[in-house]
Amino acid sequence: MYTDENTARLLPDVAVHAQPHLAGALDWVGMNGIEVPVRFDAGDGDAQRASARVGAFVNLKRPDKRGIHMSRLYLLVEQALSTQTLSAHSLHDLLRSFLESHKDLSDRACLSIRFEHLVRRPALRSANSGWRAYPVCIEASLVGDQFLLEFGTEVVYSSTCPASAALSRQLIQDQFAKDFNPSAPVDHAAVFAWLGSEKGIVATPHAQRSVARLRVRIVGDARFDLISLIDQTEQALGTPVQTAVKREDEQAFALANGSNLMFCEDAARRIQKALDADANLSDFHIRVEHQESLHPHDAVAYASKGVVGGFAGKGCA
């Protein structure tokens, strides 16, 4: 007579059987896109629950073994991430548990977590506010005793081209010269009215939605201060996209754009200067992308902290 215990013993496990003709060590084996809830504190003490996609991997160092124990990784991810607030300590412990569950097979482990975090942002002038969803990517690895932790996000902003602004100002000057006799006295009221008319703004500089993609490494066991990272970046740029706006907010946004003309190089350097002053960041990587309205291609710039062996000089993909 079969019992549950006997049935379990009879279940085949082909992964334990070696295949000599296919022997070989593997860099990474695991799962990507695991669906799991996570709890994340963005730095304001309010841990939000989010739906995340997780990648969990270990290496397979033994060429004589066919595979790893993926179910062990899955259960460890589900148990740890769904019950604890994300932190450097909790992720370090999770990676150690990956290796303990594969101590005869693996000596390296890595983890990636992707989700969106909602942050309420105030309007520029009015009393309104609205939610912005910032993507968050956390990547952690453990190789021997070396634990490496990175996290990143994206900031969307508006960029107005300085060259286009200068060309537009020249056209406005040309129109002024046509509409006002240089030999006649300037009538203040007439000029004031002209500036408020369509003739007074015959050309406008091109602006475009732009994206700053950030990856940072935090010092030691410092917390994930996403809000501080966002605030530093948006303040450095001066033109983050808005949520709920009234006319006074839109006018303030137009003023911000006119006061913050920037090429992609300018934007990258602004963020670089801001993050370089943050003592909680040991390294950072910045990619700014101005999604051109003049061209069918984008203008892109990269910057980093310049740490030897860090992000500096890493690819331009």
Side-chain angles (χ1 to χ4, degrees), residues 243-260:
T243 56
V245 294
K246 302 290 283 184
R247 279 177 294 177
E248 59 264 39
D249 302 310
E250 188 170 355
Q251 187 178 60
F253 188 67
L255 179 62
N257 273 269
S259 304
N260 291 280

Side-chain angles (χ1 to χ4, degrees), residues 119-134 240-253:
V119 181
R120 183 169 281 281
R121 309 303 276 174
L124 291 173
R125 290 286 183 271
S126 70
N128 294 307
S129 64
W131 292 102
R132 286 278 293 111
Y134 293 89
V241 295
Q242 301 297 298
T243 56
V245 294
K246 302 290 283 184
R247 279 177 294 177
E248 59 264 39
D249 302 310
E250 188 170 355
Q251 187 178 60
F253 188 67

Side-chain angles (χ1 to χ4, degrees), residues 6 8 18 59 62 113 155 158 164-165 172 176-177 206-207 253:
N6 289 332
N59 67 323
R62 290 186 55 178
I113 307 169
V155 169
S158 174
S164 180
I172 293 170
F176 181 86
H206 72 81
F253 188 67

Side-chain angles (χ1 to χ4, degrees), residues 306-317:
V307 177
V308 175
F311 286 123
K314 299 292 185 184
C316 58

